[in-house]
Amino acid sequence: MELIFYGVVAGTVAGMIPGVGIFATLLLLYPWLIDLPVIDTFIFYLALTSTTQYVGSVSATILGVPGESSSLPAVYEGNTLFKKGEGGTAISGAAMGSVLGAFLALGLITLVSPYLEYVYLFFNTYVQAIVLWTVLILMTFSSNKNRLISFALAGFGYYLGYVGCDIITGFGSCHVPIDHPDVTTGLPFMSVVAALFVFPQLIKFVEPSLIGPTDQKKNTLIEHFRYFFSNIGAAIRGSVLGFFLGFTPGGSTALSSNTAHRAEVRREKKRGTYEQGNYRALVAAETANNSAAFTTLLPLFILGIPFAASEALFYDIIITKGFVFQQNFDMSFFMTTIAYNLVIINIIAFMIAWPFAKYISLIYLVPQRFLNAAVFIFLCYIMWIVGANYLQSEYYLIVFFLLLPIGYLIRHYDTMPLVFAFILQDRFYMNAHTLYDLIRNML
């Protein structure tokens, strides 16, 4: 329960502050997470990601501030409902939709979990190489409107991961652009992702559009539940849609929530019942969001392939502890570590997000630029501490500051392809040899 508490607290902060999110929170806590046991790290990550989904919709509804792109429907529908004095209805609907989506997704995952062994065997062949490269290609096609930019970012990320001497795969080659002993160890993971992923998010200055006091309607708990269950069809539709779209590489929660939202809006328009501030459209989007948040973990757990930036960072943390997803993740591990804790976490997050709504606007009394500056300074401190463990504190900071101008230049683009290619560069390299052998044998 202690790790669940820490994860819920961290998820609450991550959901409140735009530009921080799950990824930056993991990065800020990196030194602490590295020393945690594997099971505790899993529990903390699950609590962090689940709570962020709940709290993010609250801040989007009250303040009109999307912490992440998956919160856009909550801004469009939820914030409109809040301005109409129906903020309590919007928040309760989003919270109940999220918990329903989580449990429905968990049930569907439980149904397929007995077949994980066959998935392992299937993907431990040439198929794994094909899937990994397919994910990267799909990610580059879906992350930015300009696909050439996406491919360039992925190529740059691969090159950054290529720097250093390869002592793991056995090829024994060195790729050192600068003749310095520190460079032979490769570019520090934390320095690269902080400069090229977190920093661009921080400088996207978001100023909450606070509105004047609005009289909110008062409803009893029973009335909130009755209203939600009278519209439960929207939640079920969103949950099913989110479950399948959750397997989409890169931004699966954003794709799921926005797709479910548009589908429900279209349905409402056909019925002639749509106007901005639609309760069913909001519930469908939030249910899809939380459903996708669970299913997007399956490719990571089963294949060791992260579909989101936060998953990529979590993957890096876990493998440093000697955990191998394709080998150590089985039905027993899923039931005792994942499913059991997810039930507890979602109940706690649900109980926090709803009452917490009245306090969430207090964080925005602090100007966003000050919050971002504090995060930036703390990032520098964390890099110094982590680098000290390898006697490379200066090296970590130098790489970070050298890459900052590039981070500024790419601030308007989704840099997930870059992060994905950088973190999994060694696997791409080995799988390229695997695919080459496959093609050569076929010819």
Side-chain angles (χ1 to χ4, degrees):
M1 289 297 292
E2 182 180 1
L3 270 300
I4 292 179
F5 173 76
Y6 292 152
V8 168
V9 172
T12 300
V13 175
M16 283 193 301
I17 305 177
V20 178
I22 300 172
F23 185 91
T25 304
L26 287 174
L27 199 60
L28 293 171
L29 298 175
Y30 191 89
W32 175 67
L33 291 171
I34 284 294
D35 294 330
L36 279 182
V38 170
I39 301 297
D40 290 346
T41 308
F42 267 95
I43 294 173
F44 175 84
Y45 179 72
L46 293 171
L48 168 67
T49 53
S50 297
T51 308
T52 303
Q53 300 294 328
Y54 286 89
V55 177
S57 64
V58 175
S59 60
T61 297
I62 295 178
L63 302 166
V65 178
E68 297 180 351
S69 56
S70 60
S71 300
L72 289 174
V75 173
Y76 194 75
E77 307 292 353
N79 188 245
T80 302
L81 284 169
F82 180 78
K83 292 175 180 178
K84 293 179 179 179
E86 299 179 8
T89 302
I91 291 170
S92 66
M96 286 186 281
S98 293
V99 75
L100 177 64
F103 287 142
L104 286 177
L106 186 60
L108 291 171
I109 294 172
T110 304
L111 290 176
V112 302
S113 58
Y115 305 100
L116 292 180
E117 181 180 353
Y118 302 103
V119 177
Y120 299 148
L121 295 175
F122 181 68
F123 280 99
N124 277 331
T125 62
Y126 290 113
V127 177
Q128 182 180 143
I130 297 173
V131 168
L132 192 63
W133 281 93
T134 302
V135 167
L136 178 62
I137 294 172
L138 290 175
M139 189 175 294
T140 54
F141 270 88
S142 61
S143 56
N144 294 290
K145 292 182 179 179
N146 191 326
R147 293 170 183 172
L148 290 177
I149 294 293
S150 294
F151 277 102
L153 289 172
F156 183 56
Y158 181 89
Y159 171 75
L160 294 177
Y162 200 52
V163 172
C165 293
D166 190 347
I167 59 175
I168 297 177
T169 59
F171 294 103
S173 56
C174 287
H175 309 278
V176 184
I178 301 175
D179 187 14
H180 191 280
D182 284 335
V183 183
T184 61
T185 63
L187 298 180
F189 168 82
M190 177 169 287
S191 302
V192 173
V193 295
L196 302 180
F197 188 86
V198 178
F199 179 67
Q201 300 297 317
L202 291 178
I203 59 179
K204 290 178 183 177
F205 180 75
V206 181
E207 187 68 52
S209 55
L210 294 172
I211 61 174
T214 303
D215 293 331
Q216 298 294 315
K217 296 178 182 178
K218 304 294 183 182
N219 296 305
T220 65
L221 185 65
I222 294 177
E223 287 174 333
H224 280 295
F225 277 102
R226 184 181 296 128
Y227 190 60
F228 174 78
F229 283 105
S230 67
N231 296 282
I232 198 171
I236 294 175
R237 288 189 293 272
S239 181
V240 174
L241 190 60
F243 178 82
F244 290 104
L245 290 179
F247 293 101
T248 306
S252 55
T253 53
L255 175 66
S256 299
S257 62
N258 286 283
T259 302
H261 173 249
R262 297 312 305 169
E264 200 66 26
V265 167
R266 184 179 179 182
R267 186 174 184 273
E268 291 292 302
K269 285 183 176 180
K270 285 184 176 180
R271 297 171 60 185
T273 56
Y274 180 77
E275 65 177 32
Q276 188 172 340
N278 187 276
Y279 179 83
R280 283 185 287 271
L282 171 67
V283 168
E286 289 302 312
T287 309
N289 184 24
N290 229 31
S291 181
F294 287 94
T295 54
T296 191
L297 295 175
L298 280 184
L300 174 64
F301 291 160
I302 298 174
L303 308 175
I305 299 177
F307 274 8
S310 59
E311 291 179 18
L313 179 53
F314 175 69
Y315 169 85
D316 180 79
I317 294 171
I318 288 296
I319 62 173
T320 59
K321 304 174 188 290
F323 186 90
V324 180
F325 284 96
Q326 299 97 319
Q327 298 176 10
N328 301 127
F329 188 88
D330 54 19
M331 180 62 176
S332 175
F333 186 86
F334 171 79
M335 294 304 298
T336 57
T337 303
I338 307 300
Y340 172 74
N341 284 290
L342 277 177
V343 172
I344 298 175
I345 290 166
N346 273 271
I347 293 174
I348 294 176
F350 171 75
M351 295 174 65
I352 288 177
W354 195 344
F356 186 71
K358 63 181 71 174
Y359 306 108
I360 201 167
S361 60
L362 297 178
I363 190 67
Y364 292 99
L365 297 177
V366 181
Q368 183 71 34
R369 58 173 63 90
F370 292 155
L371 292 173
N372 290 351
V375 172
F376 181 83
I377 293 172
F378 192 56
L379 264 179
C380 294
Y381 171 74
I382 291 297
M383 272 183 283
W384 179 270
I385 296 299
V386 174
N389 294 330
Y390 305 98
L391 303 178
Q392 291 182 321
S393 293
E394 294 86 357
Y395 178 55
Y396 271 57
L397 286 177
I398 289 172
V399 172
F400 173 64
F401 285 114
L402 286 176
L403 291 175
L404 281 182
I406 300 176
Y408 178 81
L409 292 174
I410 61 176
R411 66 191 183 280
H412 297 302
Y413 300 103
D414 184 352
T415 58
M416 181 56 200
L418 187 156
V419 174
F420 186 77
F422 171 70
I423 293 177
L424 298 179
Q425 184 274 330
D426 56 335
R427 291 182 63 182
F428 280 118
Y429 189 75
M430 289 185 290
N431 281 320
H433 283 268
T434 301
L435 287 176
Y436 173 76
D437 293 337
L438 173 63
I439 296 173
R440 188 177 60 179
N441 293 333
M442 292 174 60
L443 297 177

